[in-house]
């Protein structure tokens, strides 16, 4: 249900009032909507049940192109309260959307990570998520920024992330890595700084395991340094100290073939 009050002239609709309700979700907008040409809209999407929004996006005919690829790759989940306030400019079939996002419960694949907020921009050529923050139910947190071309073959994007006490099982599951054996449990803190995204990542990831348990033994300390060099992720050094000894690991993982050593 909803209400629309608009004036039309030469294929351009000026929206004086535009409000649509679907379940617990509401879309409101004002501005100029052009069928052929540039639009200029201000809009907000609010919901008390954000899972409804993903249901709408997953409807036949809506999932395609970039939205379909992102949803298939990362399997995002939203629950609870959601708010996005921003603008839509440019051609309606390939616009630039920018605004502020808040979600009380966000996850990837089958893992809920926590509450997320930040500044989002999706243009015909680029995706940005800046001033991003994540807060988990267990007190963990992360700050991040991401900017990269939408072209999967491009290599000018970047990612910076700093995290504190993020549950290791949740992190691995959200990345699509197996966690069934649970040889290592605990929380991780650290940072990652990558450039060359999405096609040729370069940079370092530094990790520290907090309150960790490795193969049933309490880890007195555990650190990891992983270096990305376009097509290869090199484990420069993984070192753990346990009550009954220590071990050091190094190796490499090919990002194209998934072969490892």
């Amino acid at each position: 249900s909803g209400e629309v009050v608009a004036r039309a002239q030469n294929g351009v609709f000026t929206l004086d009032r535009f409000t649509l309700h679907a379940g617990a979700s509401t879309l409101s907008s004002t501005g100029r909507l052009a069928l052929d040409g540039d639009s200029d809209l201000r809009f907000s999407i609010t919901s008390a049940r954000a899972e409804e929004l993903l249901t709408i996006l997953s409807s036949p005919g809506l999932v395609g192109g970039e939205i379909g690829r992102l949803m298939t790759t990362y399997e995002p989940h939203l629950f609870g309260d959601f708010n996005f306030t921003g603008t839509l400019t440019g051609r309606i079939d390939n616009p630039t959307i920018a605004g502020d996002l808040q979600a009380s419960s966000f996850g990837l694949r089958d893992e809920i990570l926590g509450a997320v907020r930040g500044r989002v921009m999706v243009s015909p050529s680029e995706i940005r998520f800046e001033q991003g923050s994540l807060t988990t139910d267990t007190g963990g947190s992360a700050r991040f920024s991401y900017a990269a071309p939408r072209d999967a073959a491009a290599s000018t994007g970047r990612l910076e992330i700093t995290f504190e006490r993020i549950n290791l099982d949740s992190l691995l599951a959200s990345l699509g890595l197996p966690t069934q054996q649970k040889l290592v449990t605990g929380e991780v803190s650290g940072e990652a700084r990558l450039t060359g995204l999405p096609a040729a990542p370069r940079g370092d990831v530094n990790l520290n395991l907090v309150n960790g348990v490795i193969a049933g033994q309490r880890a007195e300390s555990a650190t990891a340094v992983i270096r990305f060099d376009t097509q290869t992720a090199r484990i420069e050094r993984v070192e753990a100290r346990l009550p009954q000894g220590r071990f050091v690991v190094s190796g490499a993982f090919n990002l194209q073939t998934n072969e490892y050593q």
Side-chain angles (χ1 to χ4, degrees), residues 56-234:
I56 294 172
L57 285 177
S58 300
S59 299
L62 287 181
V63 174
E66 190 67 12
I67 290 179
R69 186 184 71 82
L70 291 175
M71 293 187 68
T72 300
T73 301
Y74 299 105
E75 300 177 23
H77 294 280
L78 292 171
F79 298 94
D81 295 332
F82 176 89
N83 179 274
F84 184 92
T85 302
T87 60
L88 183 152
T89 57
R91 297 187 63 87
I92 196 66
D93 58 345
N94 196 15
T96 294
I97 298 174
D100 296 311
L101 176 147
Q102 296 184 50
S104 63
S105 187
F106 167 77
L108 297 175
R109 297 180 171 89
D110 291 328
E111 197 65 34
I112 299 300
L113 296 174
V116 67
R117 64 170 53 199
R119 177 82 178 169
V120 179
M121 193 276 286
V122 180
S123 74
S125 61
E126 186 181 33
I127 296 177
R128 288 179 176 266
F129 199 128
E130 298 180 322
Q131 302 173 26
S133 67
L134 174 75
T135 305
T136 72
D137 293 338
T138 57
S141 64
R143 300 185 304 277
F144 57 93
S145 64
Y146 173 84
R150 291 172 62 170
D151 181 1
S155 58
T156 58
R158 58 174 175 79
L159 169 68
E160 296 181 0
I161 179 170
T162 302
F163 45 95
E164 297 283 345
R165 303 180 73 92
I166 300 294
N167 182 273
L168 180 59
D169 283 349
S170 297
L171 181 62
L172 294 177
S174 69
L175 295 174
L177 301 176
T179 61
Q180 291 89 344
Q181 296 182 1
K182 295 187 182 299
L183 294 176
V184 182
T185 61
E187 299 170 330
V188 289
S189 298
E191 63 178 12
R193 299 182 185 277
L194 300 177
T195 60
L197 300 176
R202 295 182 296 274
D204 294 339
V205 178
N206 296 274
L207 304 174
N208 292 284
L209 184 65
V210 182
N211 298 326
V213 175
I214 301 176
Q217 295 191 54
R218 180 179 59 84
E220 296 176 349
S221 66
T223 61
V225 177
I226 304 171
R227 179 157 296 161
F228 287 81
D229 183 14
T230 63
Q231 307 302 321
T232 304
R234 300 189 180 279

